[in-house]
Amino acid sequence: LQGVRRLSYSESAMISGSLSDTGFHLDPGANGRSVDADWMPIGLHWFSTMGMKLLTGRGFEPRDFTPAPEPGSRGKQPEGPPRAVIVNQEFVSQFLKDGRVLGRAMGYRKEGGGNPQYVIVGVVSNAKYESLRATLMPTMYVPLNEPYSTFEVRTAADPMAMLPAVTRAVHGIE
């Protein structure tokens, strides 16, 4: 549509009261600590659509969007390399004070180790997730592979004026 500058999608809209989080072992082995972080599945170009800045590393690429089990799923360990994950500044300041960030494997399902679920490919600016009044939380962004999603649209004009045209375009798709 004319007037649409950027378009992306996510599992749920930010500042909508919806929240997903996950727990995992940051490091392998018996000394690996268990941590909790907000978890947001997103699409390509989501950070630029939302006006967030990539601070270091890279954004998601089409190759990152291959299906894999969600954190905490009771399935078998994913085969092959870990999934790409992008974390926010708060995640780095709370959990990665040793300075090892880009390329760090993490997300072990158990204390004994096993295959890591994720490798950090980038760090983005902080943003509120659940609500504006909520405390800023460490957040992991992962590629969204599910068939359902919320669309985010950045427009050149008043977004509310664009809403009828966007709605018609979405409903026009079979």
Side-chain angles (χ1 to χ4, degrees):
L1 294 173
Q2 188 172 6
V4 171
R5 288 195 170 161
R6 287 300 237 181
L7 172 71
S8 191
Y9 54 95
S10 60
E11 185 176 79
S12 60
M14 290 184 73
I15 315 298
S16 66
S18 177
L19 174 69
S20 293
D21 63 355
T22 187
F24 59 91
H25 291 279
L26 189 60
D27 295 304
N31 294 327
R33 63 183 167 148
S34 181
V35 298
D36 292 311
D38 287 350
W39 180 72
M40 182 112 175
I42 62 171
L44 279 173
H45 312 296
W46 191 82
F47 297 117
S48 60
T49 300
M50 299 304 291
M52 296 172 67
K53 296 198 183 315
L54 183 66
L55 303 175
T56 188
R58 68 170 176 86
F60 291 129
E61 299 170 350
R63 66 186 166 122
D64 297 320
F65 290 82
T66 56
E70 293 183 0
S73 68
R74 299 194 189 279
K76 108 180 198 190
Q77 284 280 10
E79 298 295 326
R83 293 178 71 193
V85 65
I86 297 173
V87 299
N88 68 350
Q89 292 170 290
E90 187 65 18
F91 189 100
V92 172
S93 70
Q94 283 195 33
F95 303 138
L96 305 178
K97 294 178 184 177
D98 62 6
R100 294 184 304 128
V101 179
L102 294 181
R104 183 176 184 146
M106 60 176 217
Y108 299 87
R109 291 181 188 244
K110 55 188 175 186
E111 285 187 36
N115 295 333
Q117 290 178 282
Y118 303 104
V119 62
I120 299 173
V121 299
V123 178
V124 293
S125 57
N126 289 326
K128 296 285 182 134
Y129 181 170
E130 182 181 14
S131 76
L132 291 175
R133 292 192 173 120
T135 303
L136 187 61
M137 297 297 292
T139 305
M140 300 168 49
Y141 298 93
V142 297
L144 176 59
N145 297 309
E146 300 297 322
Y148 56 87
S149 58
T150 298
F151 290 94
E152 287 88 14
V153 180
R154 179 163 297 276
T155 65
D158 175 16
M160 295 310 288
M162 294 280 306
L163 190 57
V166 170
T167 301
R168 280 191 304 275
V170 170
H171 288 290
I173 299 171
E174 293 185 22

